[in-house]
Amino acid sequence: MKITFGGNPLTVLGTQVKVGDSAKAFSLLKNDLSVSTLADYDGKIKVLNIVPSLDTGVCDSQTRKFNAELNDREDVVVITISNDLPFAQARWCGNAGLENAITLSAHRDDVFGTDYGVLIKELRLLSRTVIVLDQSNKVTYVEYVNEGTNHPNYEAALSHLKK
Protein backbone atom coordinates (compact mmCIF):
# COMPACT_ATOMS: atom_id res chain seq x y z
CA MET A 1 0.00 0.00 0.00
CA LYS A 2 1.13 3.56 -0.68
CA ILE A 3 0.57 6.56 1.54
CA THR A 4 2.02 10.03 1.53
CA PHE A 5 3.78 11.87 4.31
CA GLY A 6 3.98 15.61 3.71
CA GLY A 7 2.96 14.84 0.14
CA ASN A 8 5.89 12.45 -0.41
CA PRO A 9 4.93 8.88 -1.40
CA LEU A 10 5.90 6.08 0.99
CA THR A 11 5.39 2.32 1.09
CA VAL A 12 3.45 0.64 3.87
CA LEU A 13 4.32 -3.02 4.51
CA GLY A 14 1.98 -5.76 5.66
CA THR A 15 -1.66 -6.57 5.08
CA GLN A 16 -4.33 -4.13 6.14
CA VAL A 17 -6.97 -5.48 8.49
CA LYS A 18 -10.62 -5.27 7.50
CA VAL A 19 -13.88 -5.07 9.42
CA GLY A 20 -14.81 -8.62 10.44
CA ASP A 21 -11.20 -9.85 10.73
CA SER A 22 -9.96 -11.37 13.97
CA ALA A 23 -7.17 -9.24 15.38
CA LYS A 24 -3.74 -10.83 15.47
CA ALA A 25 -2.15 -11.25 18.87
CA PHE A 26 0.63 -8.80 19.68
CA SER A 27 3.43 -8.47 22.19
CA LEU A 28 4.58 -4.89 22.73
CA LEU A 29 6.54 -2.98 25.37
CA LYS A 30 5.02 -0.88 28.13
CA ASN A 31 6.77 2.24 29.40
CA ASP A 32 8.54 0.18 32.10
CA LEU A 33 9.85 -2.29 29.45
CA SER A 34 7.50 -5.07 30.57
CA VAL A 35 5.50 -6.87 27.89
CA SER A 36 1.86 -6.19 27.13
CA THR A 37 -0.25 -8.42 24.91
CA LEU A 38 -3.65 -8.12 23.27
CA ALA A 39 -4.94 -10.66 25.80
CA ASP A 40 -4.23 -8.15 28.61
CA TYR A 41 -7.29 -6.21 27.45
CA ASP A 42 -9.73 -9.12 27.07
CA GLY A 43 -13.34 -8.23 27.74
CA LYS A 44 -12.89 -4.58 26.74
CA ILE A 45 -13.55 -2.73 23.50
CA LYS A 46 -10.10 -1.72 22.29
CA VAL A 47 -9.27 1.42 20.32
CA LEU A 48 -5.87 0.85 18.70
CA ASN A 49 -4.69 4.42 18.25
CA ILE A 50 -1.69 3.87 15.98
CA VAL A 51 0.58 6.88 15.39
CA PRO A 52 3.97 7.60 13.79
CA SER A 53 5.39 9.44 16.85
CA LEU A 54 3.87 10.99 19.96
CA ASP A 55 6.38 13.84 19.64
CA THR A 56 4.51 15.34 16.68
CA GLY A 57 1.56 17.70 16.77
CA VAL A 58 -1.00 15.52 15.01
CA CYS A 59 -0.09 12.39 17.00
CA ASP A 60 -0.20 14.37 20.23
CA SER A 61 -3.64 15.79 19.37
CA GLN A 62 -4.96 12.42 18.20
CA THR A 63 -3.89 10.67 21.40
CA ARG A 64 -5.24 13.42 23.64
CA LYS A 65 -8.57 13.46 21.74
CA PHE A 66 -9.26 9.73 22.01
CA ASN A 67 -8.21 9.60 25.66
CA ALA A 68 -10.34 12.64 26.58
CA GLU A 69 -13.41 11.44 24.68
CA LEU A 70 -13.30 7.86 25.97
CA ASN A 71 -11.88 8.34 29.48
CA ASP A 72 -15.26 7.80 31.16
CA ARG A 73 -16.09 4.57 29.30
CA GLU A 74 -15.42 1.59 31.58
CA ASP A 75 -15.93 -0.83 28.67
CA VAL A 76 -13.37 0.88 26.36
CA VAL A 77 -9.59 1.06 26.52
CA VAL A 78 -7.51 3.35 24.29
CA ILE A 79 -4.17 1.76 23.40
CA THR A 80 -1.75 4.13 21.67
CA ILE A 81 0.90 2.27 19.69
CA SER A 82 3.98 3.75 18.03
CA ASN A 83 7.59 2.88 17.32
CA ASP A 84 8.70 5.48 19.87
CA LEU A 85 10.95 4.10 22.58
CA PRO A 86 9.10 3.28 25.81
CA PHE A 87 11.07 6.00 27.64
CA ALA A 88 9.92 8.62 25.12
CA GLN A 89 6.34 7.44 25.49
CA ALA A 90 6.57 7.70 29.29
CA ARG A 91 8.03 11.22 29.00
CA TRP A 92 5.22 12.23 26.63
CA CYS A 93 2.54 10.87 29.01
CA GLY A 94 4.03 12.84 31.90
CA ASN A 95 4.35 16.05 29.89
CA ALA A 96 0.81 15.65 28.53
CA GLY A 97 -0.63 15.00 31.99
CA LEU A 98 -1.90 11.62 30.80
CA GLU A 99 -0.09 9.36 33.26
CA ASN A 100 -2.90 6.78 32.97
CA ALA A 101 -2.84 6.66 29.16
CA ILE A 102 -1.77 3.31 27.74
CA THR A 103 1.15 3.69 25.34
CA LEU A 104 2.84 0.64 23.86
CA SER A 105 6.04 0.54 21.84
CA ALA A 106 6.46 -1.62 18.75
CA HIS A 107 10.10 -0.58 18.27
CA ARG A 108 11.68 -4.01 18.99
CA ASP A 109 10.67 -5.67 15.74
CA ASP A 110 8.41 -5.24 12.72
CA VAL A 111 5.84 -7.92 13.63
CA PHE A 112 3.05 -5.60 14.81
CA GLY A 113 3.62 -3.20 11.91
CA THR A 114 3.38 -5.89 9.25
CA ASP A 115 0.59 -7.86 10.99
CA TYR A 116 -1.61 -4.75 11.02
CA GLY A 117 -0.42 -3.29 7.69
CA VAL A 118 0.99 -0.10 9.23
CA LEU A 119 4.81 -0.29 8.91
CA ILE A 120 6.22 2.54 6.79
CA LYS A 121 9.15 0.92 5.00
CA GLU A 122 11.21 4.06 4.36
CA LEU A 123 10.87 5.52 7.87
CA ARG A 124 10.35 2.42 10.07
CA LEU A 125 7.48 4.30 11.70
CA LEU A 126 3.86 3.22 11.94
CA SER A 127 1.26 4.84 9.70
CA ARG A 128 -1.62 6.76 11.26
CA THR A 129 -4.45 4.28 11.77
CA VAL A 130 -7.46 3.78 14.03
CA ILE A 131 -8.69 0.23 14.60
CA VAL A 132 -11.54 -0.69 16.93
CA LEU A 133 -11.77 -4.24 18.28
CA ASP A 134 -14.78 -5.62 20.11
CA GLN A 135 -14.55 -7.62 23.34
CA SER A 136 -13.72 -10.77 21.36
CA ASN A 137 -11.03 -9.01 19.28
CA LYS A 138 -13.01 -8.78 16.05
CA VAL A 139 -12.29 -5.68 13.98
CA THR A 140 -15.43 -3.50 13.98
CA TYR A 141 -13.96 -0.25 12.60
CA VAL A 142 -10.80 0.68 10.72
CA GLU A 143 -9.37 3.85 9.21
CA TYR A 144 -6.00 3.95 7.49
CA VAL A 145 -5.13 7.62 6.98
CA ASN A 146 -3.65 8.04 3.49
CA GLU A 147 -1.69 11.24 4.29
CA GLY A 148 0.45 10.85 7.40
CA THR A 149 0.16 14.49 8.41
CA ASN A 150 -3.67 14.43 8.38
CA HIS A 151 -5.89 13.72 11.38
CA PRO A 152 -8.12 10.64 11.38
CA ASN A 153 -11.89 11.06 11.17
CA TYR A 154 -12.51 11.40 14.91
CA GLU A 155 -16.25 11.84 14.51
CA ALA A 156 -16.62 8.60 12.53
CA ALA A 157 -14.61 6.56 15.06
CA LEU A 158 -16.34 8.06 18.09
CA SER A 159 -19.77 7.68 16.49
CA HIS A 160 -18.99 4.01 15.82
CA LEU A 161 -18.14 3.55 19.51
CA LYS A 162 -21.49 5.03 20.56
CA LYS A 163 -23.45 2.33 18.68
Side-chain angles (χ1 to χ4, degrees), residues 76-103:
V76 176
V77 61
V78 177
I79 305 168
T80 299
I81 303 169
S82 71
N83 272 0
D84 292 315
L85 292 174
F87 310 114
Q89 291 178 336
R91 177 186 39 76
W92 180 88
C93 288
N95 290 342
L98 294 173
E99 290 83 5
N100 295 325
I102 298 169
T103 56

Side-chain angles (χ1 to χ4, degrees), residues 17-34:
V17 300
K18 298 178 285 312
V19 170
D21 286 352
S22 290
K24 292 189 178 181
F26 58 71
S27 177
L28 302 171
L29 291 179
K30 294 181 185 179
N31 295 346
D32 65 2
L33 300 179
S34 64

